[in-house]
Each structure stands twice: as C-alpha cells, then as structure tokens.
Amino acid sequence: MLNRTSMKMAVLLSTYVLAVLVWLFFYHFMVRPRSKTRGCSIPEQDSEGCCGGPRETADLTAQEKNVKGQTVQEIKMHSVYSWLNTNPAYVLKCKYFFTDADGKDI
C-alpha cells in the first residue's frame, strides 16, 4: 500500500515539475519579458520573420505613440477587452452570483 501511494506521489510531483518547466519555456521564448518588442507579430506582416524584424519594432513604436495621446475612454471605444470581461474570477462570480436557486438570472 505504501509503495503504491509513493508511486502516485512521484507521478504527481513529476507532472507538476513538467508543467512548471513547460510554462517557463513558453514564458521565456514566447512572452519574452526582457525583450523590447514583447511577443510575436503576425508572420505575414513581419518582413524578417516572427519576432525581431525591424518592421515589428517600428509598428510597436507607432502603436505606443498612438496610445500615449489617448484617454482611457478613447481606448475603450476601440477595444472590446476590459478587466470586467477578461478576469476569469470576476466573470465566474457574475455568472453564478447573480442567479436564483433555479439558475435563472436575477
């Protein structure tokens, strides 16, 4: 019994370590937190290939300049994403907190 339990724990621990390593791999190579360009552009638009072409840096700079002159309300007019519809905990709270016992909206 102890042998089977220790084997389950070893599999659980190795699965956790593997998941953390995969997450770190993708975080380092896809998100690139220390890079100035921050992430990949669409390959069709990038003349030098994904991530690192001079065209991507120019587009990012132009986008940053465009956003710097706008207010929060102006940015909200052009974006469908906000904290209210992208935060999973808040979305689930709204889904289940505002319902009655039968599951219908209040």
Side-chain angles (χ1 to χ4, degrees), residues 23-36:
W23 186 89
L24 287 173
F25 173 81
F26 280 104
Y27 182 73
H28 180 71
F29 290 106
M30 297 301 283
V31 176
R32 299 182 326 167
R34 293 186 177 99
S35 174
K36 290 184 180 183

Side-chain angles (χ1 to χ4, degrees), residues 20-84:
V20 168
L21 290 174
V22 167
W23 186 89
L24 287 173
F25 173 81
F26 280 104
Y27 182 73
H28 180 71
F29 290 106
M30 297 301 283
V31 176
R32 299 182 326 167
R34 293 186 177 99
S35 174
K36 290 184 180 183
T37 56
R38 302 272 174 145
C40 292
S41 65
I42 299 171
E44 294 85 14
Q45 294 178 351
D46 196 359
S47 62
E48 303 270 330
C50 186
C51 301
R55 187 172 176 189
E56 178 184 354
T57 306
D59 289 344
L60 184 63
T61 306
Q63 183 182 12
E64 286 176 348
K65 287 180 182 176
N66 189 21
V67 171
K68 282 187 179 183
Q70 294 180 346
T71 65
V72 173
Q73 295 299 328
E74 292 171 341
I75 293 173
K76 280 184 179 181
M77 289 174 55
H78 300 290
S79 177
V80 296
Y81 303 111
S82 72
W83 182 84
L84 298 174

